[in-house]
Amino acid sequence: MAQIEVLSSVTGTVWKIEKKLGDAISEGEEIMILESMKMEIGIEAPAAGTLSALNVAEQDAVDEGQVLALLETAD
């Protein structure tokens, strides 16, 4: 099994977490929504897998490039 990092594409705030630990996620499926400059930015899974870690909570401030979550893949 491999771990894939889900990274923040912007500096902002975690507005809403859509998935919970252990959820099976398809590639491109939205994991959470960030708010930056009054815009909502969806953070999508870069690959299919199982959500194995959430490194942030709703209302947390995040930086661009920060690891937000980890996915376990079958690869």
Side-chain angles (χ1 to χ4, degrees):
M1 293 190 123
Q3 280 198 336
I4 297 193
E5 295 178 335
V6 179
L7 305 176
S8 175
S9 56
V10 296
T11 297
T13 304
V14 179
W15 182 69
K16 184 175 183 185
I17 296 176
E18 300 280 345
K19 301 295 178 185
K20 61 184 182 295
L21 290 178
D23 282 355
I25 299 174
S26 302
E27 182 175 353
E29 193 170 353
E30 194 165 79
I31 298 172
M32 65 184 70
I33 302 169
L34 303 183
E35 186 274 326
S36 180
M37 301 175 115
K38 299 188 181 188
M39 294 180 61
E40 295 176 9
I41 297 101
I43 301 299
E44 299 177 349
T50 301
L51 188 59
S52 61
L54 278 170
N55 299 339
V56 294
E58 290 181 359
Q59 303 305 315
D60 281 358
V62 298
D63 293 319
E64 184 176 350
Q66 181 175 336
V67 178
L68 303 174
L70 295 174
L71 290 176
E72 283 285 335
T73 64
D75 297 343

